[in-house]
Amino acid sequence: CICYLLSVMQQFFMITPFRQGILQCKWTGILAEGERELGESERKEASAEKKEEYHTLLDTLKEMFSYLLVNPG
C-alpha cells in the first residue's frame, strides 16, 4: 500500500501546476475556502484538532515536494 501511495505522490509532484499550487498554497486560503462550503452550524462545530490535521497535511506535502525539488535524484 505504501508503495502505491508514494507512486501517486511522485506523479502529483510531476504535474507542474499541482506542485506549484501546493508549494504556493497558504493555509488561511484553504481554511477560508473549506469554511465557505460548510453551513453556519457546521462551521462553528469544526474542531481545532481537525483544522490542525489539515494544516499538518499541507505542511507535509510542502515538505515532501520541497525535498524532491532540492534532491531530484
Side-chain angles (χ1 to χ4, degrees):
C1 242
I2 298 292
C3 293
Y4 293 120
L5 180 60
L6 292 176
S7 177
V8 169
M9 290 293 109
Q10 288 175 340
Q11 292 303 311
F12 283 156
F13 175 79
M14 296 305 292
I15 302 169
T16 304
F18 184 84
R19 177 180 67 234
Q20 290 173 342
I22 292 295
L23 292 173
Q24 295 173 359
C25 188
K26 294 194 181 351
W27 169 241
T28 55
I30 286 180
L31 184 59
E33 188 71 31
E35 285 182 343
R36 271 184 258 160
E37 296 173 4
L38 297 176
E40 184 64 34
S41 61
E42 293 171 317
R43 194 175 308 138
K44 290 179 181 177
E45 293 175 11
S47 69
E49 183 179 312
K50 194 65 167 174
K51 291 176 185 177
E52 183 63 29
E53 287 177 23
Y54 292 136
H55 191 255
T56 302
L57 175 63
L58 179 61
D59 284 345
T60 303
L61 276 174
K62 283 183 171 183
E63 184 179 346
M64 183 187 333
F65 285 1
S66 297
Y67 180 81
L68 288 170
L69 277 174
V70 175
N71 302 296

